[in-house]
Amino acid sequence: MSTLLPWLQPAWRQLQESRRKGQLAHAILLRGRAGFGKSQLVSALVASLLCDNPATPGEACGTCRGCALLAAGSHPDLLRLVPAEPGKAILIDQVRELGGYFALRPHYGTTKIAVLEPADALNRAAANALLKILEEPPAGALIVLTAARAERLPATVRSRCQQHVIDRGSVHNILTWLDQQGGHPADNAEALARAGGSPLRALEFVDPTLASAIDRLPDALAGVAAGTLHPLSAAAQCSKMPVLLLIDQLLRLCHELFLLKNWLPLPLAEAGRTVSADLQRMANELDSRRIAEFVQRALDVKQLKLSSASARDLDLAESVWFDWRATGQ
Ligand SMILES: [Zn+2]
């Protein structure tokens, strides 16, 4: 399918092959990290299954009644279960909706689809309720789950799904793809590293304002650890950066400091990333145990932000920078 992201093509072909042979399971689990495009693959699969009149094998026509209903968000044979808010759990009451939904016959074709995204957001009670449905799947039901952390799903749920792993393929191909998206070739390896290797997230990190804000973080880390920059000043410097992004970038830099301290290659070193002398010096000077303690505290702050809507970004950022100062003392 030509419009799909290139690295999704193998999984797409596999799904279509299963469908052609009549071997598409009643439950499919798409596994792959955040920013790998799982949602795009789900959309393509759903569109192809709900299209009355696929133009080419597996590809939705875009014009039939099924495609029009899907585009309007009102196809009666599709139910999407997502958390009420990003980062929150999918709850048991939501999963119970599936019972009533699947009890009715499909309105148009022969398939009723439910998409649970991300399925690793199912809490324990919700996952158990889903398991009961997976144990006795209704005729014509297709349940599609996506998960970046599939290990969080009970093994009993995973084992009842046909699993497809989404991989982004070679770094070389991803860098070529990023070049085609209009990024600056020299910066793309760095953008991909900042995105933890996820191609779709890397596009955000190509943005020059964000890139330069992230570029300043190592200096701020060094300054705060050395006592030459106050934690409040460091927090003010990066006040335009959402705190979750700030924490993720600090955690990434901590990981890189660990690697450098142990003379190990940085992620994507093969793509030509170079190590700055300043970062290497900071790695040599810092105490690994203190960095590990900081990582734990930063993860706690991240959890606090995810679980509390009232936590203010600036307060959290200040607390993170104060925590970082302790690594230098
Ligand atoms: Zn169609």
Side-chain angles (χ1 to χ4, degrees):
M1 187 177 171
S2 54
T3 52
L4 268 187
L5 294 163
W7 60 92
L8 297 176
Q9 301 285 353
W12 171 255
R13 283 194 294 271
Q14 211 180 10
L15 284 163
Q16 290 306 323
E17 180 73 2
S18 298
R19 186 184 173 194
R20 199 176 54 76
K21 292 179 177 167
Q23 293 170 348
L24 206 57
H26 64 271
I28 291 171
L29 171 58
L30 301 179
R31 309 177 60 153
R33 290 174 42 199
F36 276 32
K38 297 185 292 302
S39 295
Q40 196 192 80
L41 189 60
V42 171
S43 297
L45 177 64
V46 166
S48 106
L49 290 167
L50 294 180
C51 176
D52 302 330
N53 190 15
T56 53
E59 198 153 354
C61 74
T63 55
C64 69
R65 175 189 56 191
C67 287
L69 285 168
L70 183 64
S74 55
H75 201 298
D77 295 326
L78 173 66
L79 179 67
R80 287 183 186 275
L81 296 187
V82 297
E85 286 177 46
K88 295 276 163 35
I90 296 178
L91 305 172
I92 187 166
D93 284 347
Q94 293 177 272
V95 174
R96 282 184 180 139
E97 281 180 50
L98 291 176
Y101 169 71
F102 282 128
L104 299 172
R105 295 168 57 81
H107 276 69
Y108 299 114
T110 54
T111 310
K112 276 182 91 87
I113 305 173
V115 174
L116 279 77
E117 190 171 28
D120 39 4
L122 286 159
N123 68 15
R124 183 184 293 262
N128 285 336
L130 176 65
L131 179 60
K132 292 215 167 55
I133 296 170
L134 293 176
E135 281 169 346
E136 291 181 44
L142 173 67
I143 301 175
V144 184
L145 303 101
T146 69
R149 300 274 186 91
E151 69 280 3
R152 290 187 180 172
L153 284 167
T156 44
V157 167
R158 274 181 275 145
S159 68
R160 281 174 171 78
C161 298
Q162 187 179 75
Q163 299 192 34
H164 295 264
V165 177
I166 314 298
D167 185 18
R168 64 164 155 72
S170 79
V171 168
H172 173 77
N173 287 350
I174 294 303
L175 290 175
T176 304
W177 178 79
L178 283 170
D179 292 350
Q180 291 162 352
Q181 308 313 304
H184 193 286
D187 300 335
N188 285 338
E190 202 57 41
L192 191 57
R194 287 168 175 167
S198 293
L200 295 181
R201 294 198 64 207
L203 287 180
E204 301 164 26
F205 289 97
V206 172
D207 173 67
T209 314
L210 185 56
S212 70
I214 293 171
D215 276 344
R216 290 194 294 272
L217 288 176
D219 276 351
L221 284 172
V224 172
T228 55
L229 179 67
H230 195 275
L232 293 178
S233 306
Q237 273 180 21
C238 52
S239 60
K240 292 210 165 59
M241 211 185 286
V243 73
L244 288 176
L245 176 65
L246 170 69
I247 293 174
D248 281 347
Q249 290 305 308
L250 293 180
L251 291 172
R252 175 185 66 83
L253 285 164
C254 285
H255 178 227
E256 296 194 351
L257 288 169
F258 271 124
L259 294 172
L260 292 174
K261 197 167 180 64
N262 294 292
W263 301 99
L264 292 166
L266 292 185
L268 297 165
E270 74 276 26
R273 290 186 71 208
T274 51
V275 179
S276 86
D278 290 345
L279 204 63
Q280 182 69 61
R281 193 174 316 113
M282 182 163 40
N284 297 344
E285 287 168 3
L286 288 172
D287 180 327
S288 296
R289 189 175 50 81
R290 291 210 158 150
I291 300 180
E293 286 167 4
F294 168 78
V295 165
Q296 187 51 56
R297 284 196 295 270
L299 287 170
D300 290 345
V301 175
K302 183 174 178 178
Q303 195 52 45
L304 178 65
K305 173 67 188 175
L306 288 172
S307 59
S308 162
S310 60
R312 285 180 59 227
D313 272 23
L314 186 58
D315 294 342
L316 297 177
E318 288 174 356
S319 133
V320 167
W321 284 109
F322 274 107
D323 284 339
W324 175 257
R325 184 164 69 172
T327 59
Q329 291 170 345

